[in-house]
Amino acid sequence: MAFPSDLQIARAASLKPIEDVAGEMGIGAHLVEQHGRDVLKIRLEAIEELADRPKAKYVVVSAVTPTPLGEGKTTTTVGLGQAMKHIGRRATVAIRQPSMGPTFGIKGGAAGGGYAQVVPMELLNLHLTGDFHAVTAAHNMLSALLDNHLFQGNAAGLDPHGITWRRVLDVNDRVLRNVIVGLGTHTDGIPRQTGFDITAASEVMAIFALARSVREMRERFGRVVVGYTGDGKPVTAEDIGGAGAMTVIMREALKPNLLQTLENTPVLVHAGPFGNIAHGNSSVVADLIGIRGGDFLITEAGFGADMGAERFFNIKCRASGLTPDAAVVVATVRALKAHSGRFKIVAGRPLPDALLAENPDDVHAGAANLRKQIENIRLHGVSPVVAINAFPDDHPSEHAAIREIAEAVGARVAVCRHFAEGGAGATELAEAVAEAADEPTDFRFLYPDSASLREKIEVVATKVYGADGVDYDLRAARQLDRYERNGFGDLPVCIAKTHLSISSDSSLKGAPTGWRMPVREVRASIGAGFIYPICGDMRTMPGLGADPAAHRIDIDENDEIVGLS
Amino acid sequence: MAFPSDLQIARAASLKPIEDVAGEMGIGAHLVEQHGRDVLKIRLEAIEELADRPKAKYVVVSAVTPTPLGEGKTTTTVGLGQAMKHIGRRATVAIRQPSMGPTFGIKGGAAGGGYAQVVPMELLNLHLTGDFHAVTAAHNMLSALLDNHLFQGNAAGLDPHGITWRRVLDVNDRVLRNVIVGLGTHTDGIPRQTGFDITAASEVMAIFALARSVREMRERFGRVVVGYTGDGKPVTAEDIGGAGAMTVIMREALKPNLLQTLENTPVLVHAGPFGNIAHGNSSVVADLIGIRGGDFLITEAGFGADMGAERFFNIKCRASGLTPDAAVVVATVRALKAHSGRFKIVAGRPLPDALLAENPDDVHAGAANLRKQIENIRLHGVSPVVAINAFPDDHPSEHAAIREIAEAVGARVAVCRHFAEGGAGATELAEAVAEAADEPTDFRFLYPDSASLREKIEVVATKVYGADGVDYDLRAARQLDRYERNGFGDLPVCIAKTHLSISSDSSLKGAPTGWRMPVREVRASIGAGFIYPICGDMRTMPGLGADPAAHRIDIDENDEIVGLS
């Protein structure tokens, strides 16, 4: 019998009434709002009301540097959450909401997979409760106010060429990357070149993910820098009268969404900032609620440990005040083999036959990447646990190879089969995580707020990425100088680089050494509270391929959705 | 004591549990989905399940030709709904969802006013359940697929200059009216000029408002014409593989939203197509459910009776199969005085003092407009009822003047004071509507499907608008020929003209005669199922003013919303 599709498994799931799922987290009916049959929004009063409950152990799920196919990080996060019940512990899972752009582009969905899924997956993959749409609306409200400000006389003195605020849409649409607006007649505004990013790349998304309250979100919106005057003075959303309207548009969205896994584990799905130019983590408010919901709060951070986990530690934990107790590093046979440099994996094409053949030596040849990502966790004083995400084509000797690599550096390790077996397949991981989280923690940020922006960039580049140093283009150097001068120097940094290498060159596998990191440009998300240096080409608006998933997403003869996964 | 603000009245309202409101309409718990505390979505299965219940009388609320301030049509619709309970009858109200663009632009809200409001007004005026956002997403999904189709080789042979499908956003943003997309490098798509409309102007919105089922919506999306080949052949959304994805994005949105009035009357709020280039009526599915919900279903149609009501009769009733039993024509002292041609009313400025002075003769001087709009109702075989929407500055002698005008042509008439008094202030109107609806009806379309497009345009222009005839620009004539050739000739027409005059010239007041209607251009909404000739400049993307409402919309110290009305 063929293994059932994600959609078949999801449709067969036995969902628990979602208010009962909330109840098990200690969240009473007065704190929730139903959104459809199977989703709740949780009121932010829960943060204060639950403050006396015991604090869960806080676990972040990260990974080795992924292949273009991804290594099953969401699936492992969900599987680990499900597994905790099997070892008698209660867990809450916290993940990002997927973007609709990629769902209709290449992915077809992002709800986990197999027997480790968040349900209802149709809701998760589509609008959910509309939070992303609220981000789009709030962002573009500010854009409209900005161009209207120019049109109505430009009282703030914005330099039209110094405008940094663009527009956003949650769709993969390459032609919107670079546009000219304001054409037509004199009533149609002032022409200028600008562009659209995908909604996940909006600073509104990052702010919404980092704010601890509506009030703090309002203040962060006010600080958003939309551009500069002719003499380099920042102009903010507050200056052009947009922060209040943005807050009103985003007020309901700040309530976290509660769903469940196939095994009824509570799952907070909230916010979805980009993992390159933003910090790539789900929301702080969801974690502030989830941290009181049971024995473990398990959250996922985007891409490899050098990316999402580093930002989780240095940006998200800075904003939330929460400190992690353990970190999972998801590893796969195929990723470590790819890090050997012996194979090339291309999204949308079958894996090379040679990669699928049993060969533990290929795994060992890619060990450096796993060792470095374990080190990146330890740099922050957190206990790492390696989760070997098993695939049907794997060979036991290859799992054994990963285990050897991890144990050689003293990390806990577990093979997990949640995709095929659900939570029961990840109990070894659950036990290992529970042990790691029980160790005394020594969590530390990588750098103090008071370090200069260059010092911050350099400590991440050299300690986390393994670079010999950093080279700044003239433009980047000037921008850093300006940010320091504008008083933004105490913010953390979010280095926008490829997620396909620990280095800033996507072609370098393993744990590259002997390279210097080039910084072309440095941008600022002042409302979100980070400075982001750009190393290489960062695409903030994806395109559609020749045969996008949208062509296959449809309704069937019973009006049921087909084509999502 | 000052009259309280809309927001104060709305906050003080005593809401009934919304599932009880549904229950009173005969809609059981298995047919509803909660969206927040005070809003339900109703499953479309309700249409079939309720089919055995008695059919309500179907009442459309229209108006004289409005001033730029509006004449309180939504307020009267809500007030009439509330009043029915006071005369022992049960009513359901059905209105459009307001667009967020104007809410943050000039209006600050659109939930009725005073003691005739839909609550919670903050939800109604903002995202509600996200249906408009779904329209935006579905529309722009098709736009992205279209530009991707060009980029990936243009298998359908679309003429880049023959593309009619644009993009939409629910924001007032004048610089998006005319844009160039696809700039950048060879990976950034194919450059071309296009533009954005406001979401309410999307054909997706009109389709969603007219479809009777998910399946029919899917078929209508498939028929959407996105552009033409070099030799004039239409290319559809189905041709470029977009209709399925659009349907999946819109599937949940097709469930009507249930809210309530201040007096707990059920209110279906669903869809919001533009009143110029689209038909300006709330959804067919909401009416198919509401028609089984009590003694009366009261629905509002946009602008004056020549606009919204004409489309209600000839487009919406054609699509739904429902037939109206009565029509309300809202009239105000200020509108009739404005139709005298003696005063000029400008939005955002105080009314002229001379208009506010007691002078029934000024009212009589504007009588022709009211008489013509009554006639426009009767053209369709429906009984008209004139609702005099009373304002605090009105004088009894002026109400008497309106009454004389209406009674002279045999129309029922009632003064209503729902703004100040709620439903109790509109019982005279409720009685008059109940009487009118009890008369035998003789409803008829203005033209048969089989009439040519020119015949349809001419019958609306001459019979409803009072034109002597129609003049077609060469371009318009060619387009009409093309539509007839393409087999679109059996569709009804939706004439896009100013709403500030019965004629196509906004400066002509009263009931203009001795004019001919110029048709500049003719566009087609094939999925929605109508052809729309354009007479004059039709703005499909509003702009923001010098001091938009967005500047005053904010949260207060208790995180409550301020600035909506």
Side-chain angles (χ1 to χ4, degrees), chain B residues 69 144 268 305 314 340 565:
Chain B
L69 309 178
L268 295 162
N314 294 300
S340 72
S565 63

Side-chain angles (χ1 to χ4, degrees), chain B residues 17-331:
Chain B
I18 189 68
E19 58 276 20
D20 293 353
V21 176
E24 289 168 13
M25 293 173 68
I27 299 172
H30 64 292
L31 290 172
V32 301
E33 297 166 5
Q34 195 93 25
H35 281 261
R37 295 280 162 108
D38 300 312
V39 178
L40 297 179
K41 269 195 173 288
I42 304 175
R43 295 185 171 181
L44 297 188
E45 290 85 338
I47 297 173
E48 204 161 312
E49 279 202 33
L50 304 178
D52 292 338
R53 289 172 52 97
K55 209 165 180 174
K57 295 288 185 181
Y58 193 31
V59 179
V60 62
V61 177
S62 184
V64 297
T65 300
T67 70
L69 309 178
E71 306 318 307
K73 196 148 39 71
T74 303
T75 307
T76 303
T77 306
V78 172
L80 173 58
Q82 294 182 156
M84 284 292 177
K85 201 186 320 191
H86 294 261
I87 66 163
R89 312 298 291 270
R90 288 178 315 113
T92 303
V93 169
I95 59 172
R96 287 181 289 173
Q97 179 178 342
S99 166
M100 275 173 63
T103 295
F104 287 90
I106 198 162
K107 291 173 96 171
Y115 287 95
Q117 287 188 63
V118 181
V119 283
M121 69 99 93
E122 298 95 322
L123 293 179
L124 183 74
N125 284 323
L126 296 169
H127 315 281
L128 195 52
T129 58
D131 298 344
F132 273 38
H133 295 319
V135 171
T136 304
H139 186 117
N140 294 333
M141 179 82 250
L142 183 59
S143 310
L145 288 167
L146 173 65
D147 274 294
N148 194 53
H149 188 86
L150 290 181
F151 179 71
Q152 303 285 354
N154 193 9
L158 267 164
D159 171 8
H161 296 283
I163 293 172
T164 49
W165 192 255
R166 293 158 48 96
R167 286 175 174 76
V168 298
L169 274 179
D170 191 11
V171 61
N172 286 12
D173 194 349
R174 68 180 77 235
V175 301
L176 293 179
R177 288 173 190 155
N178 301 288
V179 307
I180 296 174
V181 299
L183 300 174
T185 71
H186 65 284
T187 61
D188 297 324
I190 294 179
R192 64 183 186 91
Q193 183 162 353
T194 178
F196 286 70
D197 300 317
I198 194 160
T199 297
S202 167
E203 186 176 347
V204 175
M205 182 70 86
I207 289 172
F208 150 59
L210 289 168
R212 285 166 302 175
S213 66
V214 172
R215 174 58 46 191
E216 186 189 319
M217 184 170 69
R218 170 73 181 75
E219 288 163 5
R220 286 173 176 268
F221 287 151
R223 290 197 293 270
V224 164
V225 172
V226 297
Y228 296 85
T229 61
D231 53 359
K233 210 176 121 288
V235 176
T236 66
E238 197 70 66
D239 293 334
I240 61 168
M246 293 168 79
T247 307
V248 167
I249 293 172
M250 286 297 298
R251 198 177 66 138
E252 295 301 308
L254 195 61
K255 300 172 182 168
N257 307 293
L258 182 67
L259 287 81
Q260 60 188 292
T261 72
L262 292 171
E263 299 181 12
N264 314 125
T265 313
V267 183
L268 295 162
V269 181
H270 204 217
F274 239 41
N276 281 315
I277 60 136
H279 63 293
N281 282 263
S282 59
S283 85
V284 163
V285 284
D287 286 5
L288 290 175
I289 292 170
I291 202 74
R292 304 294 177 178
D295 301 319
F296 292 89
L297 172 62
I298 301 163
T299 187
E300 182 190 355
F303 302 140
D306 55 315
M307 303 281 290
E310 186 272 310
R311 287 112 185 251
F312 171 81
F313 296 136
N314 294 300
I315 298 178
K316 188 178 177 186
C317 289
R318 254 192 176 85
S320 70
L322 296 174
T323 56
D325 297 290
V328 173
V329 179
V330 176

Side-chain angles (χ1 to χ4, degrees), chain A residues 536-549:
Chain A
D537 286 325
M538 280 305 117
R539 188 143 278 169
T540 50
M541 172 53 91
L544 293 169
D547 186 24

Side-chain angles (χ1 to χ4, degrees), chain A residues 164-183:
Chain A
T164 50
W165 193 255
R166 292 159 48 96
R167 285 175 174 77
V168 299
L169 275 179
D170 191 12
V171 61
N172 287 11
D173 193 349
R174 68 180 77 235
V175 301
L176 293 180
R177 289 172 189 155
N178 302 288
V179 307
I180 295 175
V181 298
L183 301 173

Side-chain angles (χ1 to χ4, degrees), chain A residues 331-338 363 388-389 394-395 398-399 402:
Chain A
T332 59
V333 168
R334 72 183 184 197
L336 288 200
K337 285 185 173 179
V363 175
I388 303 172
N389 184 22
D394 290 354
H395 305 277
E398 298 172 331
H399 290 167
I402 300 179

